[in-house]
Amino acid sequence: METEITQSMKLQTKAVHAGDRRKPSPATPSTTPIYTASSFFYDDVETLDRVFSDEEQGYCYSRYDNPTNSALEELLAALESGAGALATSSGMSAIHVALLSALTDRRRSIVASSALYGATIRLLMNILEPSGVDVRWVDITNRAEVENAVREANPGCILTETISNPLLRVAPIDELAGLARQAGAALVVDNTFATPLMCRPLELGAHLSVHSVTKYLAGHGDVLGGAIICDASHLSTLRTLAKTSGPNLGPFESYLTMRGIKTFPLRMERQCANAAHIASWLASHPKVSAVYFPGAPNHPDSATTARLFPSGLFGAMVSFDLKDGDRNEVFRFINALKLIVRATSLGDVHTMVLYPAMSSHRDISPAQRRRLGIGDNLVRLSIGIEDHEDVIADLDEALSAI
């Protein structure tokens, strides 16, 4: 029932109540409205009680659920063939909550790929390990090493990235899913670099798929957010953890992410095509000693890539080593770029450059970076939707300047 506003009410009362709580019109909006309300109520408290107890579908408090967020979560679950999804405030909050969900009622042990985003490594080493979670590091592309680690560690969870950051190795998710299920473990996959266009981990047997929606899904550099898509066996645990810990994405960010997702397949196809052109060009440049790109003919995981990814789609990330380069030379190269954006992110519509030793893997020790194959001459590119010839021209001019 609408609140009856009368002329006898004071201005302060009218300012709070007038125009609010109107019933929606019969028309359906063409885009999801942004619901900024922190709480919701009903004509009677009995209905609110049933909503609180999950006896009736509805909204009561935005930490529990919000109509804008729900719309995004329905979209995310559909993209990845999940039973449900959770939109979170960042990619790192998504990884954290996904791991907590995976370890609920399981042994507090993780077999983790040694090739992970630097902040994920810090999460495991500086937060989860001190809280009593055992972490065993493996080369996730080495089946014998993974099998041995799973057998010895008896983990509750296996963690990997579909395409690793920043050296772009491709994990055999289908094989890892089989090992995880044999061990009674949950497989958690960070699918940010691959996106649902290239890979849907749950369809390959994973239990939870994680994204930084900041990247390709939102796609325009104006959202900080994350997402977890899960199978039916983890959905209740995921929602319960979210209600308690409150990692929610805001409704404005949910709306922007939904808007970005509408064009994400078109953007990603263009970015993948551009990346293939640019990786091929870099491989022939005399000032480049190595190129890391899943579509390269000599990529060590080419068989996995061919098995898991659609034909011609290899991702939009390209990393490369400057020949005989060091930190100073990398800085000179990056500063010489005019078109390519010097920014600490990826997945935007414009091409971006990042120096892993300075940013994504800054807090990893130099010795550990070397063990991971991340040299002081490694540069990472996130390819955008520009004409690839313009990007190549910018790279060529900057390489010629060093």
Side-chain angles (χ1 to χ4, degrees), residues 161-279:
E161 295 170 348
T162 310
I163 303 175
S164 72
N165 183 1
L167 294 176
L168 311 181
R169 297 298 301 269
V170 179
I173 295 172
D174 50 352
E175 297 177 1
L176 295 173
L179 293 174
R181 292 181 186 277
Q182 289 174 16
L187 176 60
V188 178
V189 179
D190 185 334
N191 198 37
T192 299
F193 277 22
T195 78
L197 182 67
M198 294 173 55
C199 182
R200 291 172 291 280
L202 271 66
E203 293 181 2
L204 298 172
H207 299 81
L208 299 106
S209 179
V210 178
H211 291 269
S212 170
V213 302
T214 306
K215 312 306 192 294
Y216 294 105
L217 294 181
H220 293 78
D222 54 8
V223 171
L224 182 68
I228 309 164
I229 303 96
C230 68
D231 63 9
S233 65
H234 290 82
L235 183 56
S236 176
T237 299
L238 183 67
R239 302 304 306 191
T240 299
L241 283 171
K243 286 182 177 181
T244 304
S245 60
N248 311 65
L249 185 64
F252 283 101
E253 289 77 13
S254 289
Y255 173 85
L256 288 173
T257 301
M258 288 191 74
R259 186 186 67 174
I261 288 175
K262 294 181 190 302
T263 60
F264 132 72
L266 297 173
R267 289 184 281 104
M268 192 64 184
E269 288 175 357
R270 175 62 176 257
Q271 288 167 297
C272 287
N274 280 351
H277 285 294
I278 292 165

Side-chain angles (χ1 to χ4, degrees), residues 8 29 46 51 65 113 126-127 141 157 182 184 187 278 282 316 322 361:
S8 62
E46 288 82 7
V51 171
D65 208 354
S113 170
N126 300 339
I127 295 178
T141 65
C157 171
Q182 289 174 16
L187 176 60
I278 292 165
L282 284 168
L322 286 179
H361 289 71

Side-chain angles (χ1 to χ4, degrees), residues 78-225:
L79 289 176
E80 290 246 20
S81 303
L86 175 71
T88 70
S89 58
S90 69
M92 288 310 303
S93 68
I95 282 283
H96 195 180
V97 175
L99 291 174
L100 294 178
S101 299
L103 295 177
T104 299
D105 297 328
R106 288 191 177 97
R107 174 174 159 75
R108 294 173 62 78
S109 172
I110 299 173
V111 169
S113 170
S114 57
L116 293 171
Y117 173 46
T120 305
I121 294 174
R122 295 197 302 274
L123 170 67
L124 294 171
M125 296 180 65
N126 300 339
I127 295 178
L128 293 183
E129 282 191 313
S131 69
V133 177
D134 177 65
V135 180
R136 173 102 174 236
W137 304 93
V138 295
D139 175 357
I140 207 71
T141 65
N142 185 323
R143 182 180 177 91
E145 185 175 333
V146 176
E147 287 179 340
N148 184 59
V150 169
R151 182 171 55 254
E152 292 182 355
N154 187 27
C157 171
I158 299 175
L159 172 64
T160 187
E161 295 170 348
T162 310
I163 303 175
S164 72
N165 183 1
L167 294 176
L168 311 181
R169 297 298 301 269
V170 179
I173 295 172
D174 50 352
E175 297 177 1
L176 295 173
L179 293 174
R181 292 181 186 277
Q182 289 174 16
L187 176 60
V188 178
V189 179
D190 185 334
N191 198 37
T192 299
F193 277 22
T195 78
L197 182 67
M198 294 173 55
C199 182
R200 291 172 291 280
L202 271 66
E203 293 181 2
L204 298 172
H207 299 81
L208 299 106
S209 179
V210 178
H211 291 269
S212 170
V213 302
T214 306
K215 312 306 192 294
Y216 294 105
L217 294 181
H220 293 78
D222 54 8
V223 171
L224 182 68

Side-chain angles (χ1 to χ4, degrees), residues 15 27 45 51 134-135 171 183 190 195 201 241 276 290 299 301 304 319 328 367 370 386 398-400:
V45 73
V51 171
D134 177 65
V135 180
D190 185 334
T195 78
L241 283 171
H299 191 277
D301 306 316
T304 301
S319 297
N328 292 331
R370 286 193 295 272
E386 309 97 335
L399 287 169
S400 299

